[in-house]
Amino acid sequence: MLIDTFGRVATDLRVSLTDRCNLRCTYCMPEEGLSWLAKPDLLTDDEIVRLVRIAVTDLGVTEVRFTGGEPLLRPGLTGIVARCAALEPRPQLSLTTNGIGLARTAAALRDAGLDRVNVSLDTLRPEAFKTLTRRDRHQDVLDGMAAARAAGLTPVKVNSVLMPGLNQDEAPDLLAWAIEQDYELRFIEQMPLDAQHGWKRDGMITADDILASLRTRFALTPETVGERGSAPAERWVVDGGPHTVGVIGSVTRPFCRACDRTRLTADGQVRTCLFATEETDLRAALRQAASDAEIAEIWRKAMWGKKAGSGLDDPDFLQPERPMSAIGG
């Protein structure tokens, strides 16, 4: 079990498969890209599967989400999914992707054992997409989502970030489109994880802003009353149902008190929080022939030291030096 001193138990593992990405989203990385990890620094396919196995069989993890960078850029992705799907007990397997390349891989990933996908799409406007991502690939993302839906990787969840001056007016249009396409839309507050450290708290579109915009067109009622548990999104029933919309207020409405996540970076570091400034090295233990029991104990000790919160509510918040592409969202 991965328990911390506040009694939280981590059962949800996020695994970054690569730090590389084929987009250059303005809220994630600079236009010229980053200094990518060298191949020897990345975990191998066998190392990833071994760590997932330890997490599932020895540490109580029940859900595994593959992230990046862009995980579809990982050559061995389908094989990794298939080997993790064969574990006993079998974890729930999902993937967070920008959708580029999903049209040609969705069926193979389903056959390998993937259960569902989260796809990032911030705008319905091709030109705004090009401005936000610095790439002209809008239709590729739409095609990827349609392929995922056709393959049965459902519910297809769509993650959208609203940015001032670019797409801040699109919340109602995005929700109307998601309902029409039978996708599950979730808005995410912009978080301070950009490599260029350009995030500013006073300029972000907040959860309250998003909800106010949605209510200009839709009636929203809370899906549940009271605590939302470990779910990052507050979910709202749209116009009486059956469709819902989620709002993840990581900055203004954090869910730290019930967080159930542990994270593994592409180079084999355990992170107790997306915003953590410390990491615990599992790659070295793997490559020094540590036993499964020894690796599990290192992981337990790392999670035991998890802090109470992300620190985002501190005006002197110290942004992690590693960008989101290296950490995994």
Side-chain angles (χ1 to χ4, degrees):
M1 182 181 294
L2 293 172
I3 189 170
D4 63 34
T5 55
F6 301 94
R8 296 169 297 192
V9 179
T11 58
D12 183 337
L13 170 61
R14 305 298 169 99
V15 182
S16 177
L17 298 180
T18 178
D19 60 331
R20 297 173 185 265
C21 188
N22 42 14
L23 296 180
R24 296 292 181 270
C25 296
T26 56
Y27 51 78
C28 185
M29 69 171 72
E31 185 171 5
E32 64 274 13
L34 300 165
S35 297
W36 308 121
L37 292 168
K39 188 173 181 180
D41 293 335
L42 293 171
L43 293 176
T44 66
D45 293 1
D46 287 345
E47 288 171 337
I48 290 170
V49 173
R50 184 183 175 195
L51 289 176
V52 171
R53 176 176 56 77
I54 291 170
V56 169
T57 61
D58 297 346
L59 296 173
V61 164
T62 58
E63 299 179 50
V64 178
R65 172 87 61 85
F66 298 110
T67 69
E70 174 44 54
L72 293 182
L73 295 179
R74 178 86 186 200
L77 173 61
T78 303
I80 292 171
V81 170
R83 293 168 68 185
C84 291
L87 293 172
E88 293 291 344
R90 184 196 187 283
Q92 187 80 8
L93 299 175
S94 60
L95 177 82
T96 294
T97 172
N98 62 29
I100 296 173
L102 190 56
R104 65 174 181 272
T105 57
L109 288 168
R110 175 208 59 205
D111 292 344
L114 192 70
D115 294 303
R116 64 171 187 81
V117 294
N118 286 35
V119 183
S120 299
L121 181 69
D122 304 320
T123 178
L124 299 175
R125 305 166 186 161
E127 284 306 311
F129 181 90
K130 189 175 180 179
T131 299
L132 279 163
T133 67
R134 305 184 179 104
R135 298 290 186 270
D136 190 11
R137 306 295 297 273
H138 189 258
Q139 189 59 49
D140 292 330
V141 180
L142 297 179
D143 291 345
M145 284 190 284
R149 182 183 57 203
L153 295 173
T154 55
V156 175
K157 295 187 178 181
V158 181
N159 296 337
S160 296
V161 176
L162 299 182
M163 301 284 288
L166 289 172
N167 63 339
Q168 67 187 61
D169 61 333
E170 282 199 71
D173 290 340
L174 281 162
L175 180 53
W177 166 80
I179 290 172
E180 178 185 354
Q181 299 295 324
D182 199 25
Y183 299 143
E184 187 175 317
L185 179 63
R186 309 190 310 171
F187 291 98
I188 305 174
E189 288 181 338
Q190 182 194 2
M191 294 180 285
L193 290 169
D194 56 311
Q196 59 270 39
H197 292 194
W199 178 83
K200 290 182 173 57
R201 186 185 303 270
D202 57 3
M204 62 176 286
I205 309 299
T206 68
D208 285 343
D209 295 332
I210 295 165
L211 290 169
S213 179
L214 291 174
R215 286 185 171 120
T216 64
R217 195 182 307 180
F218 303 96
L220 304 180
T221 54
E223 185 179 55
T224 57
V225 178
E227 295 289 334
R228 66 182 188 266
S230 61
E234 293 179 277
R235 286 160 54 99
W236 304 81
V237 178
V238 181
D239 290 342
H243 295 284
T244 62
V245 64
V247 178
I248 301 176
S250 300
V251 178
T252 65
R253 301 182 179 193
F255 57 99
C256 301
R257 286 187 302 172
C259 181
D260 65 349
R261 297 179 181 179
T262 183
R263 298 176 181 274
L264 187 63
T265 68
D267 55 349
Q269 310 299 307
V270 168
R271 294 182 68 91
T272 60
C273 173
L274 192 59
F275 302 101
T277 54
E278 306 89 17
E279 298 176 334
T280 300
D281 189 4
L282 293 186
R283 185 188 62 196
L286 283 170
R287 297 180 181 180
Q288 292 168 8
S291 67
D292 287 0
E294 290 170 330
I295 291 170
E297 185 58 24
I298 294 170
W299 207 329
R300 286 191 192 95
K301 287 180 179 178
M303 295 305 297
W304 182 252
K306 184 173 182 174
K307 294 180 179 179
S310 64
L312 283 173
D313 54 350
D314 184 345
D316 298 320
F317 169 74
L318 181 63
Q319 180 170 330
E321 287 302 313
R322 296 234 280 179
M324 187 185 297
S325 63
I327 299 169

